[in-house]
């Protein structure tokens, strides 16, 4: 699993990590430093313990940028604290007994390092870090078995140490894994949203381009046939081609603006534009009957979907139904649903499923509706039901 970077500039997170390390050092390190210096241990061990404490706190500062290396350094420092002889001196007198250096407050830094590696590193290292931490818990329990300052004897002391160390280790690891899982989940949501937006834009571009080109090609073919016999009609045909092209360019610019992260103020087509759409198809040479009642208040998304279904269905009629086909467009309100029905009498024409049909299904499903498309008794029929 790839762990996503935290939001915001990287330097801000690094500053926060350094601030955490500074606070821990300010609160925990003086006690540990004094205990080691006054602990009545050999000079070599004293140097080793001071170095181990310094490494623990330095590892916290670097844990965000290099979690695995910082954890490894912290684990080695903890090993030095576990292996060192008991500390004496004033702190031992206050505690009631000599004690192992692993009880120094700076040992809490280990849990910060375990959280960092479990939250920020990739598998298998979080699991390896947990295993090392649990082994460290066992070693710590054995190492502290002779401590008498707390007043608990026998199994009671063993249970207390084992419960505290294991609970803290598992909690730090679990919090880190929660953070990593949450970041991955957010990434997946963002990727899914981006994929859905790309599909939506692809549907829009397909509908705009396919419909506009169908109208342009139809008029161009008609112009080629009539230009010699009825030259006065050429101007009207060219005007229709130019108008269709301009409208397609406007819609394409809006879609490209969305791809580029720009906002667009161009209105989206809806039910009110179905009349103009049908009229353009008639001008392109397709015979279309329109049956449209008063659907009432319709959400913009439903209106746009209905418009695109009619647009794609009529475009398919011009491409597949054959010469002389008659299309019927019906938009009616049925209870709490808007029914869009587009049929034609292009009998016998086989239409393999393509991008347009799957795009229509996706559009209708996105607004909570259903779409049926297939051969009918007379030709081909597309029927969509969408909730209002």
């Amino acid at each position: 699993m790839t762990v996503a970077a935290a939001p915001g500039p990287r330097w801000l997170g690094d500053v926060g990590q350094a601030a955490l390390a500074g606070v821990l050092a300010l609160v925990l390190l003086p006690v540990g430093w004094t205990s080691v210096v006054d602990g009545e241990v050999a000079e070599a061990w004293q140097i080793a313990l001071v170095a181990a404490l310094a490494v623990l706190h330095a590892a916290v500062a670097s844990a965000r940028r290099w979690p695995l290396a910082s954890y490894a350094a912290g684990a080695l420092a903890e090993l030095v604290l576990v292996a060192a002889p008991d500390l004496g001196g004033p702190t031992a007198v206050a505690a009631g007994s000599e004690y192992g250096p692993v009880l120094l407050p700076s040992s809490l830094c280990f849990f910060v390092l375990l959280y960092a590696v479990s939250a920020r590193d990739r598998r298998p290292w979080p699991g390896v870090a947990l295993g090392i931490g649990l082994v460290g818990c066992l070693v710590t329990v054995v190492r502290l078995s002779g401590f008498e300052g707390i007043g608990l004897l026998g199994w009671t002391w063993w249970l207390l140490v084992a419960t505290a160390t294991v609970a803290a280790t598992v909690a730090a690891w679990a919090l880190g894994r929660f953070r990593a899982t949450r970041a991955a989940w957010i990434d997946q949501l963002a990727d899914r949203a981006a994929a859905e937006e790309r599909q939506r834009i692809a549907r829009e571009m397909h509908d705009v381009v396919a419909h506009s080109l169908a109208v342009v090609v139809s008029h161009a073919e008609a112009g080629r046939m009539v230009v010699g016999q009825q030259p006065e009609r050429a101007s009207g045909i060219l005007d229709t081609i130019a108008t269709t092209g301009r409208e397609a360019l406007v819609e394409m610019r809006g879609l490209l603006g969305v791809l580029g992260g720009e906002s667009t103020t161009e209105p989206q087509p809806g039910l009110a534009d179905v009349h103009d759409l049908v009229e353009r198809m008639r001008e392109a040479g397709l015979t279309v009957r329109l049956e449209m009642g008063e659907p009432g208040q319709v959400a913009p998304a439903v209106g746009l979907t209905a418009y695109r279904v009619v647009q794609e269905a009529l475009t398919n009629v011009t491409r597949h139904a054959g010469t002389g086909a008659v299309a019927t467009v019906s938009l009616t309100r049925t209870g709490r649903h808007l029914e869009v029905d587009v049929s034609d009498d292009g009998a016998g024409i086989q239409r393999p499923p393509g991008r347009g049909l799957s795009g229509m299904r996706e559009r209708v499903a996105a607004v909570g509706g259903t779409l049926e498309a297939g051969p009918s008794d007379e030709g081909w029929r597309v029927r969509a039901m969408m909730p209002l």
Side-chain angles (χ1 to χ4, degrees):
M1 178 179 64
T2 300
V3 179
R10 184 172 181 176
W11 65 265
L12 185 60
D14 291 338
V15 170
Q17 188 71 27
L20 173 62
V23 170
L24 291 178
L26 184 64
V27 174
L28 305 179
L29 189 55
V31 176
W33 188 284
T34 302
S35 300
V36 171
V37 171
D38 299 335
E40 300 177 355
V41 294
E43 183 178 359
W45 275 114
Q46 189 178 90
I47 295 173
L49 288 173
V50 169
L53 295 178
V55 167
L56 274 172
H57 287 281
V60 172
S62 62
R64 186 176 188 275
R65 189 166 291 224
W66 301 290
L68 184 59
S70 299
Y71 178 81
L76 291 175
E78 283 291 323
L79 183 60
V80 172
L81 297 182
V82 170
D86 288 346
L87 297 175
T91 55
V93 174
S97 170
E98 293 187 348
Y99 59 92
V102 72
L103 286 177
L104 294 175
S106 293
S107 291
L108 295 175
C109 293
F110 175 80
F111 303 115
V112 178
L113 301 176
L114 178 58
Y115 167 84
V117 75
S118 63
R120 299 186 176 279
D121 227 309
R122 295 171 175 82
R123 294 178 179 177
W125 299 116
V128 172
L130 176 62
I132 293 174
L134 293 176
V135 171
C137 292
L138 176 61
V139 174
T140 300
V141 170
V142 175
R143 174 66 178 82
L144 297 178
S145 60
F147 179 64
E148 300 175 353
I150 200 171
L152 298 176
L153 302 177
W155 66 269
T156 307
W157 169 243
W158 283 63
L159 180 61
L160 175 64
V161 175
T163 302
T165 54
V166 171
T169 299
V170 173
W173 180 85
L175 284 174
R177 295 316 297 159
F178 170 78
R179 189 263 181 195
T181 303
R182 181 176 178 273
W185 178 66
I186 292 174
D187 270 358
Q188 290 179 357
L189 288 182
D191 291 343
R192 185 183 305 170
E196 290 175 353
E197 183 65 8
R198 286 194 297 269
Q199 290 178 355
R200 185 189 72 81
I201 293 174
R203 290 195 300 266
E204 292 285 347
M205 294 183 70
H206 172 273
D207 291 347
V208 171
V209 172
H211 169 73
S212 300
L213 286 180
V215 174
V216 169
V217 170
S218 176
H219 276 70
E221 291 177 345
R224 183 177 57 186
M225 290 185 294
V226 305
V227 69
Q229 301 174 357
Q230 299 174 296
E232 67 278 2
R233 292 184 55 190
S235 177
I237 292 174
L238 292 176
D239 286 343
T240 302
I241 292 176
T243 301
T244 303
R246 280 194 296 269
E247 292 175 352
L249 284 175
V250 169
E251 294 197 54
M252 289 290 289
R253 287 194 189 101
L255 293 174
L256 293 175
V258 173
L259 281 175
E262 304 172 2
S263 60
T264 177
T265 58
E266 293 294 336
Q268 292 290 321
L271 290 182
D273 301 290
V274 172
H275 290 281
D276 294 337
L277 171 64
V278 170
E279 190 59 34
R280 286 199 301 271
M281 299 304 295
R282 287 170 177 166
E283 293 176 357
L286 178 65
T287 302
V288 185
R289 292 196 297 263
L290 176 61
E291 301 171 359
M292 184 174 178
E294 180 54 49
Q297 189 68 23
V298 176
V302 174
L304 173 61
T305 301
Y307 179 90
R308 293 301 189 197
V309 168
V310 174
Q311 183 184 55
E312 177 64 23
L314 291 180
T315 301
N316 286 340
V317 172
T318 63
R319 296 170 57 190
H320 302 293
T323 305
V326 177
T328 301
V329 177
S330 173
L331 290 93
T332 56
R333 182 181 185 126
T334 305
R336 298 181 59 85
H337 289 78
L338 176 66
E339 180 179 357
V340 180
D341 195 306
V342 183
S343 60
D344 64 75
D345 58 0
I349 304 298
Q350 297 297 320
R351 308 177 192 183
R355 184 68 184 87
L357 181 58
S358 61
M360 281 194 290
R361 292 189 190 279
E362 292 170 1
R363 281 184 180 280
V364 174
V367 296
T370 59
L371 183 137
E372 301 173 358
S376 64
D377 294 338
E378 296 181 349
W380 190 268
R381 183 186 185 192
V382 175
R383 180 174 178 267
M385 293 288 290
M386 292 170 285
L388 293 173

